[in-house]
Amino acid sequence: MPNIKSAKKRVKVNATKAAANKSRKSNLKTVLKKADVACTTNADNKTEAIRIAIKKVDQACAKGLMHKNKAARKKAQLAKKLNAAG
């Protein structure tokens, strides 16, 4: 544990931000999996699932959880899956 006041605050702030990032990343992975399952099973709501997944990817990119190139790649992969599903 640090002794300096500002260092103590950094530890607290970093822990808080790490928890928030972990939650956001977990939610993103869940949404991506749901979209993938919707496309592979050819569900009725696949278009809606892909739309939500793309929105979450954009939000993750804006928050700095994901690099912009990775976000673009994920969105392209989702669109490709949707088109392949018909």
Side-chain angles (χ1 to χ4, degrees):
M1 189 71 189
N3 295 324
I4 297 169
K5 187 176 180 182
S6 62
K8 287 179 183 177
K9 182 177 179 180
R10 291 309 323 155
V11 168
K12 282 185 182 179
V13 169
N14 287 340
T16 304
K17 289 190 180 222
N21 285 339
K22 187 173 183 180
S23 173
R24 287 188 186 114
K25 266 193 168 168
S26 176
N27 188 13
L28 175 67
K29 287 178 186 177
T30 303
V31 169
L32 289 172
K33 284 178 190 173
K34 283 182 182 177
D36 186 40
V37 168
C39 280
T40 55
T41 59
N42 208 4
D44 295 335
N45 64 342
K46 66 182 177 239
T47 307
E48 182 67 17
I50 295 289
R51 189 186 64 77
I52 291 170
I54 288 174
K55 183 178 179 182
K56 284 287 181 186
V57 167
D58 282 335
Q59 288 174 340
C61 182
K63 286 287 183 182
L65 291 176
M66 187 182 285
H67 192 272
K68 64 177 185 169
N69 291 353
K70 182 178 179 180
R73 187 172 69 243
K74 282 286 179 195
K75 288 171 20 179
Q77 288 169 347
L78 288 167
K80 189 175 179 182
K81 284 179 187 176
L82 182 62
N83 291 335

